[in-house]
Amino acid sequence: MTDGRDGRKATVDPKLLELLACPLTKGPLTWDPERSELISRVAKLAYPVRDGIPIMLPSEARTISADDMLPPQPRLGGPS
């Protein structure tokens, strides 16, 4: 997912990530660089980051499933 007009992927400053909290649960957020989202595992919400700005509105967040919260499984080599 791209971050905006220049086509680059979004990033979040680690210090900013330490300061941000889920507006509903006040819990920690994790960064998903593949989707450019901040994830609240407790609230099961993903907040978008647009043009480098976290959109911390529950109305803008998407609901995530348990599968979305699992880390990607490593792929094993060889035929299946």
Side-chain angles (χ1 to χ4, degrees), residues 10-67:
T11 60
V12 171
D13 184 324
K15 291 186 181 202
L16 177 62
L17 189 57
E18 289 177 18
L19 296 173
L20 291 175
C22 174
L24 294 177
T25 67
K26 311 299 185 237
L29 298 167
T30 57
W31 172 241
D32 180 354
E34 292 298 314
R35 294 185 183 219
S36 297
E37 295 175 328
L38 292 168
I39 307 295
S40 172
R41 294 181 187 277
V42 175
K44 296 185 173 95
L45 292 174
Y47 297 95
V49 175
R50 297 185 190 128
D51 296 326
I53 300 169
I55 311 300
M56 304 301 293
L57 300 170
S59 62
E60 291 287 321
R62 75 176 176 89
T63 304
I64 54 177
S65 67
D67 292 339

